[in-house]
Amino acid sequence: MQTVFHLIAADPQQQRTALTIAENLTDDNAVEIEDIAIVAQADGIEPLTAGGDGSDMVESLLEKGIAVKACSNTLELQDLAESELVDGVETVPSGGGELTRLQSEGYAYIRP
Amino acid sequence: MQTVFHLIAADPQQQRTALTIAENLTDDNAVEIEDIAIVAQADGIEPLTAGGDGSDMVESLLEKGIAVKACSNTLELQDLAESELVDGVETVPSGGGELTRLQSEGYAYIRP
Amino acid sequence: MQTVFHLIAADPQQQRTALTIAENLTDDNAVEIEDIAIVAQADGIEPLTAGGDGSDMVESLLEKGIAVKACSNTLELQDLAESELVDGVETVPSGGGELTRLQSEGYAYIRP
């Protein structure tokens, strides 16, 4: 099974909860998870920025093999360069496009 | 691929972000999108009302061929007539039913 | 068709809206719904606790045959015992795992 998490909430506490739910999924032995991805956009981009609030959790998730993807439209809108993101974060043309593509491949969608 | 956006947040800024993400999807050449729908219910109905906050964006999305659907339960609860909606907005018996139906047809689901 | 609702919002009004949308789905004759489930986690657990705000609605949904599931990680984090939950509520190892499992079985996902 495969799961994509949609990180879009602005509230830092809500963002941390979202990342914790992703992490907990890696520890759930009741389901066989092959791939986990996180797609972040709008205000949800903050934890993906180097030194940003929650970036410690994103680094830890990347180390566990979770794919973390930033929406390029958001980067442009917030005047953020790719070099300002946590090392290992990928970019995708649009968050909506990536979320559609992954679901069409069979990923379950979770929006914490 | 097909995508349905769930418009339910009460915050006007969050509603505008949701509609922007839908619009950005029409510009993403990395994915082949055939159909986009928006299902609005509860407080998310506001941008679908004629003259409502965000209705300019809904009009623009309708012109681009995006289907915009209002939950009839919400209309009844808020004492709104179909004639008060932006021209071109459809109604569906229930938001939950329509979101289920579209996903069962293969639509990806995104809740901004 | 089958539908799972994700109950995670902290706001009591938003929780009641979520439960109302689940209830409305049982009344929508335009779609043939076989199974409805609710998976609650984080702050969304409150209506599943006996005597908690919204627990009257959860009791009513259980009577209608809707499956209501509490995330065990959340119970542990909030120091809640299973005996403190509304009678009939099940527990699952993790909310994210259960939401993935149900979607992989064909459930539509709705996050009010």
Side-chain angles (χ1 to χ4, degrees), chain B residues 6-10 40-45 71 73-74 77-78 95-96 111, chain C residues 5-25 38 47 53-54 57 61 110-112:
Chain B
H6 189 189
L7 195 60
I8 188 169
Q41 65 183 167
D43 291 328
I45 210 80
C71 168
N73 290 318
T74 300
L77 201 68
Q78 300 192 8
R111 202 286 212 182
Chain C
F5 290 91
H6 189 189
L7 196 60
I8 188 169
D11 176 55
Q13 183 57 47
Q14 213 173 333
Q15 289 172 354
R16 286 190 171 269
T17 298
L19 297 171
T20 301
I21 293 170
E23 191 177 17
N24 285 343
L25 184 55
I38 293 171
D53 196 354
M57 294 185 75
L61 292 171
I110 298 179
R111 202 287 211 181

Side-chain angles (χ1 to χ4, degrees), chain B residues 16 47 52-61:
Chain B
R16 285 190 172 268
D53 196 354
S55 61
D56 54 320
M57 294 185 75
V58 165
E59 284 165 10
S60 163
L61 293 170

Side-chain angles (χ1 to χ4, degrees), chain B residues 6 8 41-42 71 73 93-101 103-104 109 111, chain C residues 1-3 5 14 17 21 24-25 28 30-31 33 107-112:
Chain B
H6 189 189
I8 188 169
Q41 65 183 167
C71 168
N73 290 318
S94 80
E98 186 67 7
L99 289 167
T100 299
R101 196 181 67 75
Q103 288 182 71
S104 78
Y109 169 92
R111 202 286 212 182
Chain C
M1 286 182 269
Q2 300 167 301
T3 311
F5 290 91
Q14 213 173 333
T17 298
I21 293 170
N24 285 343
L25 184 55
D28 184 340
V31 285
I33 305 291
Y107 277 69
Y109 170 92
I110 298 179
R111 202 287 211 181

Side-chain angles (χ1 to χ4, degrees), chain B residues 3-41:
Chain B
T3 311
V4 59
F5 290 90
H6 189 189
L7 195 60
I8 188 169
D11 175 55
Q13 184 55 47
Q14 213 172 335
Q15 289 171 355
R16 285 190 172 268
T17 297
L19 297 170
T20 301
I21 292 170
E23 192 178 16
N24 285 344
L25 185 55
T26 65
D27 294 327
D28 186 339
N29 298 317
V31 284
E32 209 165 307
I33 304 292
E34 285 147 37
D35 300 293
I36 301 175
I38 293 169
V39 173
Q41 65 183 167

